């Protein structure tokens, strides 16, 4: 009887030990990852990008129609009106995302518009003998822009996720058009007499060269 009780106690103790070991092993196992989180870790996005833009003109080289002899040629330079005319752009955004880091290719068609004016004046020997010609010019530039951007989400979770991005772009010139409106003012009669000098449209694609650059920005994703 004693041997039987000892054998039963040993078997019972063995079962208790196995249960404790199994519990310990279960406690050490990591919880299964949420399938939604795995899906959100790596994604590919395809979207449409469109918007409005404004342009500031910055010519590398300036030219004048003639060389003055009694004053500085700098006074003949055009006066640009920066950020005056709205342009537009539309394109695609192909974005690959992995755990907060993104790389995106964003080809887009973009139209930029800016304007400038210049005035030529003739003066006679007598007072008031003056004739003025004003040129108001609108410049339109159509380009194909090819940017490659890298983005990092500073905060990955939550409804509001700020990010920073940096990259580069290359631009191809598609077309360039210049619209010129001419206004003439005659002061010889005493009172200014304004007349329409007509308008013309010119293709000036050869005045522009393809260009490249770097770009960057900060923003917020709103879920």
């Amino acid at each position: 009887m004693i041997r039987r009780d000892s054998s039963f106690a040993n078997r019972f103790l063995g079962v208790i030990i196995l249960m404790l070991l199994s519990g310990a092993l279960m406690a050490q196992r990591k919880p299964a990852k949420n399938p939604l989180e795995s899906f959100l870790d790596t994604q590919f996005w395809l979207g449409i990008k469109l918007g409005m833009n404004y342009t500031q003109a910055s010519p590398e080289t300036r030219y004048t129609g003639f060389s003055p002899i009694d004053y500085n040629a700098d006074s003949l330079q055009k006066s640009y009106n920066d950020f005056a005319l709205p342009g537009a752009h539309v394109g695609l955004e192909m974005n690959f995302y992995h755990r907060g880091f993104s790389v995106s290719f964003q080809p887009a068609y973009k139209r930029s518009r800016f304007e400038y004016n210049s005035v030529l004046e003739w003066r006679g020997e007598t007072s008031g003998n003056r004739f003025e010609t004003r040129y108001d010019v609108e410049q339109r530039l159509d380009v194909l822009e090819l940017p490659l951007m890298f983005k990092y989400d500073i905060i990955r979770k939550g409804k509001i996720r700020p990010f920073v991005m940096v990259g580069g772009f290359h631009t191809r010139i598609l077309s360039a058009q210049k619209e010129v409106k001419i206004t003439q003012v005659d002061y010889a009669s005493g009172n200014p007499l304004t007349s329409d000098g007509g308008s013309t449209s010119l293709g000036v694609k050869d005045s522009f060269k393809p260009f490249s650059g770097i770009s960057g920005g900060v923003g917020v994703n709103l879920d």
Side-chain angles (χ1 to χ4, degrees):
M1 292 296 291
I2 295 174
R3 289 179 181 176
R4 289 179 181 177
D5 290 344
S6 176
S7 176
F8 175 78
N10 289 337
R11 289 197 296 272
F12 180 77
L13 182 60
V15 170
I16 295 299
I17 292 174
L18 287 175
M19 292 177 65
L20 291 175
L21 290 175
S22 298
L25 290 175
M26 291 294 292
Q28 291 178 2
R29 288 182 59 190
K30 294 182 179 180
K33 193 170 184 179
N34 189 338
L36 178 61
E37 293 183 1
S38 299
F39 169 75
L40 294 177
D41 277 348
T42 304
Q43 299 181 67
F44 179 79
W45 295 84
L46 177 63
I48 298 176
K49 180 176 68 174
L50 53 89
M52 183 180 296
N53 60 72
Y54 289 86
T55 300
Q56 180 182 26
S58 180
E60 293 183 354
T61 306
R62 294 178 180 264
Y63 301 93
T64 58
F66 57 90
S67 299
I69 59 175
D70 57 351
Y71 57 90
N72 196 325
D74 291 342
S75 62
L76 300 176
Q77 292 182 357
K78 306 179 186 72
S79 175
Y80 289 88
N81 298 324
D82 298 326
F83 311 115
L85 299 177
H89 54 265
V90 60
L92 294 175
E93 180 171 349
M94 294 171 279
N95 185 73
F96 178 75
Y97 170 87
H98 181 69
R99 296 186 177 180
F101 291 92
S102 302
V103 56
S104 63
F105 179 54
Q106 306 173 12
Y109 161 80
K110 183 168 72 173
R111 165 168 286 188
S112 300
R113 301 169 63 216
F114 59 92
E115 63 182 5
Y116 61 85
N117 56 74
S118 59
V119 178
L120 296 180
E121 184 181 82
W122 176 86
R123 290 178 179 268
E125 295 181 357
T126 60
S127 176
N129 192 9
R130 182 160 58 101
F131 187 81
E132 182 180 281
T133 303
R134 178 183 177 91
Y135 300 88
D136 294 300
V137 182
E138 177 187 335
Q139 178 75 64
R140 295 195 299 268
L141 181 64
D142 298 325
V143 302
L144 176 64
E145 195 171 66
L146 304 172
L148 183 64
M149 303 297 297
F150 299 90
K151 185 174 73 171
Y152 174 68
D153 291 342
I154 301 174
I155 299 177
R156 292 176 54 190
K157 295 182 179 180
K159 296 294 183 181
I160 299 177
R161 299 189 296 274
F163 65 84
V164 295
M165 62 181 181
V166 66
F169 64 90
H170 178 70
T171 298
R172 302 292 300 178
I173 307 299
L174 299 178
S175 66
Q177 199 75 14
K178 179 185 292 187
E179 301 284 343
V180 184
K181 181 181 178 181
I182 304 172
T183 304
Q184 299 172 336
V185 183
D186 189 352
Y187 296 87
S189 62
N191 293 323
L193 179 62
T194 302
S195 60
D196 186 1
S199 61
T200 185
S201 179
L202 304 172
V204 290
K205 182 179 178 180
D206 293 340
S207 299
F208 297 87
K209 297 180 180 180
F211 56 94
S212 303
I214 59 174
S215 59
V218 296
V220 173
N221 286 321
L222 178 61
D223 186 359

